[in-house]
Every structure is written in structure tokens, then in C-alpha cells.
Amino acid sequence: MAGNLIFMIEGGKALELVKHHIEERQRVIRERNALARELGAEDIYVSNMDGVLLGVRFKGDLHPDFKKPDRKGISFPKARTAWKDRFDAQKGYARPTSVIADAFDIPLSIEYAYKDGSGWQSIGNPFNECGFLYPSPNGPYAMWLPDVPTAVAEAEARGQTINEPAKSFKPKFEGCRRIEQEEWDIVVAQHKLAKKRPDLATEPA
């Protein structure tokens, strides 16, 4: 079954994209945290699509511009209030899936024909087909994307005729090199070790 492909990001357009994403994500976090502090919120509920603040859990009394807490204790701003306007005015970060797929023309689905008709199927985790990986804002960086060639091969093995652009898509990107999940796990572990033991981060002369 087709899974994901992981690429280390070392240069090119992908490096620009991941750095910009991190900057935007940090901006969104600063802005939503400032709103939460102003409200005196104990906890926050954020969008997993673009990071903006959606609701809060209050430490004490409920703010008059907010609805009563839901079963999870989260309150959302009432319609036609100043706080509803402020929440709506937030500008989130662009979804990494869209950023990566658009930049590199990555097919997120395949269209196919077979003897008795035609069909369509998504590739990868819906709404989260692509993404960035990084243990810290300073890297190292990687990105994942759906394994389009394997998905195409599996469909062809079922007797389906694959249409473009998935049929001829080649996962090769300037400044990126393919790695396995285990390799990325090692990179992350080494990064964590270097933070705890800086003396181990540099090889002896």
C-alpha cells in the first residue's frame, strides 16, 4: 500500500518554503497567545488547518462576549461582538499540504479508467497529504508527500489505466534527497542529543 516519501531539505525552493512556513507559524503563535493573555485564558483551542485561535478556556468568570463553555470547557466568541470580529480578523498560515503540492505540482489524487468505467482516489492522508518536518526552527528540515509512483503502480496492477498528471509524476526536487523514516528518526535523535550534550555534536579532530 502506498505510504509517504520523506525528503531532506538542503536547498532550493523547498528550503525557502519551509523557512517561510516556520516564520508564519511563529507569527500566528505569537498573535494567538497575545489574544489569549488579554482574555486571561487558561487554555486555548486552535485550528489545525491554519493555527488561528478558535476558542478559549477561562480561568475565572466567563467573558460577556463569549458563549457558555461546551462539554470540553471551551468557550467561543458570540456573533456580532468585538471579540468575534477580532477572532475573525486573524490571519493564519497557509496549509503545508497546499504550499508543497502547489509549488511542486504534486498530485494528491489519481484518476483512472478501467474496462467498465472510470474512477478517482485520493493519495495519502486526506487534508494532510504533504507537510514539513523539523526539530527546531533552525533545522534540519524535511518534507513528506504521498508516494505517487507506488499508488500509480498499485492501480495499474489492478488493471486501471492512470491519467495524467499522476501517471508520469517523478518525485525529484532540487535541493532535496530522499531518505527513509528511520533515517529521519536518527536525525531527530542526534539533534536532541546535541542540545543535551553539545560536546558530542562535534567530532574530535
Side-chain angles (χ1 to χ4, degrees), residues 10-189:
E10 298 169 335
K13 182 188 295 186
L15 185 59
E16 297 175 9
L17 292 177
V18 68
K19 288 186 174 181
H20 180 71
H21 171 72
I22 292 170
E23 291 173 358
E24 281 290 279
R25 189 172 184 275
Q26 290 176 326
R27 173 190 62 78
V28 171
I29 291 173
R30 288 193 302 269
E31 292 174 358
R32 77 187 185 207
N33 286 350
L35 290 175
R37 284 194 300 270
E38 187 175 342
L39 283 165
E42 180 180 27
D43 198 4
I44 61 176
Y45 176 68
V46 304
S47 167
N48 60 10
M49 300 291 282
D50 61 5
V52 299
L53 183 63
L54 298 177
V56 297
R57 180 181 289 115
F58 288 100
K59 294 179 181 178
D61 295 335
L62 181 68
H63 192 286
D65 278 3
F66 283 74
K67 301 174 184 178
K68 291 182 179 179
D70 62 13
R71 66 178 185 274
K72 295 182 180 179
I74 303 298
S75 299
F76 300 90
K78 297 177 181 177
R80 296 183 296 279
T81 62
W83 273 102
K84 173 63 173 173
D85 291 342
R86 292 183 67 179
F87 271 44
D88 289 347
Q90 296 176 90
K91 180 184 177 184
Y93 51 76
R95 275 200 318 136
T97 287
S98 299
V99 170
I100 296 170
D102 292 348
F104 299 110
D105 296 322
I106 299 170
L108 303 182
S109 63
I110 55 176
E111 296 180 0
Y112 55 84
Y114 53 96
K115 183 178 179 180
D116 298 319
S118 61
W120 171 94
Q121 73 178 56
S122 62
I123 312 175
N125 186 20
F127 306 109
N128 196 31
E129 297 92 343
C130 307
F132 293 116
L133 300 167
Y134 51 93
S136 83
N138 296 322
Y141 310 109
M143 67 179 181
W144 84 81
L145 56 134
D147 188 349
V148 178
T150 295
V152 168
E154 291 174 348
E156 290 178 334
R158 294 192 295 268
Q160 298 164 345
T161 301
I162 310 305
N163 298 329
E164 298 294 356
K167 179 177 177 61
S168 59
F169 175 75
K170 304 297 182 186
K172 295 182 180 180
F173 315 101
E174 179 188 359
C176 299
R177 59 182 174 87
R178 172 84 188 281
I179 63 170
E180 298 299 328
Q181 177 66 55
E182 293 79 5
E183 294 176 75
W184 177 250
D185 292 341
I186 292 172
V187 169
V188 173

